[in-house]
Amino acid sequence: MPRTARIKHNLGIYHIMIRSISDIALFKDSQDKDKYLEIVKKYKKLYLFKLYAYCLMTTHCHMLIDCCGADISKIMKSINQSYAAYYNRRYNRHGHVFQDRFKSKPVTSDKYLLNLSAYIHRNAKDIYEYRDCIEKYEYSSFGAYLSARKDKYQILDTDFILQYYNPRKSKAVKEYAKFVLTLS
């Protein structure tokens, strides 16, 4: 059965979702998560895309990417192929690491963009020790939005989302935090 054609926009912003095969741990530890973000940084420099939000979980990952004219399929193929090679080497295994090709959903409105960024940042609520302090989860971009920690890999563009809330960054951060933390 043929695959469904991916909906693409040359100047599009996408909700990117990846999932491990058979719900194995895609990221077994912080070293794996760090490696994935290093790979994202490498290909961000190559393809010149923008990353607005991310959250790495044990079996999956969400990202909000503006491809800036680059092909989203090439971006994600490069990232995921590189990570799969690393993962298989590290764990002395072979074969697929990801459940399927990545999923992508075009962002079609400002409302969806803002709700999506909050949804991605709220993913950390599913981790017991972070359910009441999602800004402390190191592998989500939310802490960087709140200036609770630095963008370790220098891969984020927080200004794009924050400018929707207030032209003054300090006020925008407060308003965005309130939006994310009160969303149900």
Side-chain angles (χ1 to χ4, degrees), residues 5-14 16 43-44 46-50 63 65-80 101-102 104:
R6 187 175 302 282
I7 299 170
K8 293 183 186 178
H9 299 283
N10 284 344
L11 300 174
I13 299 173
Y14 295 92
I16 303 296
Y43 288 105
K44 185 177 182 293
L46 179 66
Y47 291 109
L48 304 174
F49 65 87
K50 293 182 181 178
M63 293 186 285
I65 291 179
D66 183 341
C67 63
C68 298
D71 185 333
I72 194 66
S73 294
K74 286 182 182 175
I75 292 169
M76 290 310 301
K77 180 181 180 187
S78 298
I79 292 169
N80 289 348
R101 62 185 178 155
F102 71 98
S104 64

Side-chain angles (χ1 to χ4, degrees), residues 161-177:
I161 298 292
L162 292 176
Q163 58 95 22
Y164 281 90
Y165 291 90
N166 199 298
R168 290 187 51 213
K169 189 166 184 171
S170 60
K171 287 190 175 194
V173 167
K174 288 178 184 172
E175 290 175 28
Y176 183 67

